[in-house]
Amino acid sequence: MTSDEANRLAITRFRNYQAGGRAVTITVPSTAGGLVITGSIDYRAKLGYGVVHGTGRDTSSDGLIEWTAATVHVHPMANAPAEAPASPPGSDWYSRPLQTTGSALDTSLAIALSLGNDRPDNAALLPQNGATWTGQDQLDGHQVDVMTGPDAGAKPGTAGTVRYWIGSDGTMYRVQVKVASEPQPVIIDFDTEKYVPVQPVPGVSPPP
């Protein structure tokens, strides 16, 4: 990894924080059929919001979802829309703690939320912590470098299994993370839709 590559990897999470928020598509693997979350993450408020669609056999989780690093709010829907409404509905939400183990969905939500940071990482330490350059790619019209990074912030022990697709200015376009419980990786794509500012679920205070 060159110093330029290390510097771009060091600022990629900071770029998300600088932007305030990013539109995301999170593809979660599952042996019972995967899940796709389409929505937005506010990296300053540390709040994500979107719509969940099941693929394959598993459609039981379809509906709206909003999450923090500690809590998941779900709004089940039999016919979930393609995009989450800009303002979350005022009722019929169910809340539960975000599980730190045993759930590919919750692990994916936590990882996506951790991809923004209010300060750059230490570029000098990244190569020592397992970061490497693996090649170049084209992604949605963007020329990107593909790098393996250190641990995903929300998933210790993932060094070497996290891949970042990063533009020439450090913008993050994709992250792929191997989740131990699933044979396929979690994929988080950015800017797949227009970013919509995230509003808290009515009656639920946003995280401090």
Side-chain angles (χ1 to χ4, degrees):
M1 177 175 283
T2 66
S3 59
D4 171 68
E5 291 156 0
N7 286 333
R8 281 189 284 135
L9 182 57
I11 67 170
T12 192
R13 293 195 304 149
F14 182 59
R15 287 280 192 209
N16 284 346
Y17 184 85
Q18 279 184 314
R22 302 283 302 277
V24 295
T25 298
I26 306 169
T27 304
V28 184
S30 172
T31 53
L35 298 172
V36 177
I37 300 107
T38 305
S40 297
I41 297 177
D42 184 330
Y43 281 108
R44 298 190 181 186
K46 300 179 181 178
L47 189 64
Y49 170 62
V51 60
V52 182
H53 289 101
T55 61
R57 301 192 305 275
D58 189 0
T59 60
S60 61
S61 296
D62 282 15
L64 304 178
I65 189 167
E66 185 161 305
W67 73 98
T68 70
T71 306
V72 177
H73 310 283
V74 295
H75 184 286
M77 300 178 75
N79 296 294
E83 298 178 5
S87 297
S91 61
D92 297 325
W93 288 91
Y94 301 89
S95 300
R96 61 173 177 79
L98 185 143
Q99 300 177 42
T100 56
T101 59
S103 168
L105 171 61
D106 285 18
T107 296
S108 303
L109 298 176
I111 290 171
L113 205 64
S114 74
L115 295 175
N117 195 17
D118 61 0
R119 61 182 64 85
D121 292 318
N122 188 326
L125 293 179
L126 287 175
Q128 300 177 36
N129 292 337
T132 59
W133 179 88
T134 63
Q136 292 185 318
D137 199 0
Q138 285 276 345
L139 190 63
D140 295 330
H142 302 286
Q143 181 70 34
V144 295
D145 285 290
V146 184
M147 306 179 197
T148 60
D151 284 355
K155 190 68 176 172
T158 53
T161 68
V162 184
R163 288 196 171 196
Y164 299 86
W165 279 251
I166 299 173
S168 60
D169 63 350
T171 299
M172 185 185 297
Y173 289 106
R174 172 177 287 177
V175 174
Q176 177 180 294
V177 186
K178 183 72 172 66
V179 177
S181 60
E182 299 294 339
Q184 299 298 318
V186 172
I187 298 174
I188 302 166
D189 284 308
F190 291 88
D191 299 339
T192 49
E193 306 287 340
K194 181 180 178 181
Y195 173 71
V196 177
V198 180
Q199 299 181 25
V201 169
V204 176
S205 299

